[in-house]
Amino acid sequence: MSNFVLQGAEAHYGATRVLGPLSISVDEGEHVALIGKSGAGKSTLLSLMYDRWRSQSVALMPQALGLVDTLSVFHNVYMGRLDRHRWWRNLATLAKPWKRDIDEIVALLEEVGIAEKRWTPCGELSGGQRQRVAAARVLYQQGELLLADEPVSALDGPQASSVMEKLTRGYPRTVLAMHDLELALSFCTRIVGLKEGAIVLDAPSETLSAAALQDLY
């Protein structure tokens, strides 16, 4: 099992320090919500975590999603495991996917409610549909840790809850930058609050309320 620990981590923009120094660890079974107003350092911390831990079976769901608009929903999800196959198999999949890959990916697309779009180019999808494709891709990728930046921001209440449940169930540990405090408290076991690039709160979700977290905004 990998060791996910940052000690005295910092991030700079030019000569200006924008994050840290800070220390944080993520243990197995923990689902961490990063909260704080825009510019507090949530996305920067996620990027720093990914840079430090990317060799340790980490999946990333960036806010920009990183989908290829000209490829189908199926092929965008398949990209989650590109590094596990030989180049010729990946190339062949562009023209004629294997049935076992189709079956596995369609099952994930059904879980996030977008299976009917499996052969639709991602460039033709709405924002919420694209976010569900990106969620299916990281679920297909699997790993020891998921880092996700606002993974359900384009989804409505029931869809957002459904995808959050699947992401936190699909990974043994997650770190999710969140703006929806109710969702963060419902699906994450730990809340880390950021302000001006520093950690100002780190507590179990069960000890907090959405009202108590408003001071971070």
Side-chain angles (χ1 to χ4, degrees), residues 7-87:
Q7 290 284 355
E10 298 183 10
H12 295 79
Y13 184 74
T16 303
R17 187 172 65 201
V18 295
L19 184 78
L22 57 78
S23 298
I24 186 171
S25 63
V26 186
D27 295 330
E28 185 174 4
E30 285 194 315
H31 300 288
V32 181
L34 302 179
I35 66 168
K37 65 183 180 180
S38 179
K42 302 187 299 296
S43 296
T44 302
L45 179 54
L46 281 177
S47 295
L48 184 59
M49 287 176 167
Y50 187 62
D51 286 344
R52 296 285 182 88
W53 300 337
R54 64 192 306 167
S55 63
Q56 301 179 59
S57 189
V58 175
L60 176 67
M61 183 177 169
Q63 195 166 2
L65 302 181
L67 302 179
V68 180
D69 287 347
T70 55
L71 292 181
S72 71
V73 166
F74 167 86
H75 286 99
N76 271 275
V77 175
Y78 177 84
M79 287 170 63
R81 295 187 188 172
L82 278 180
D83 61 344
R84 302 182 198 180
H85 303 302
R86 295 180 180 273
W87 67 268

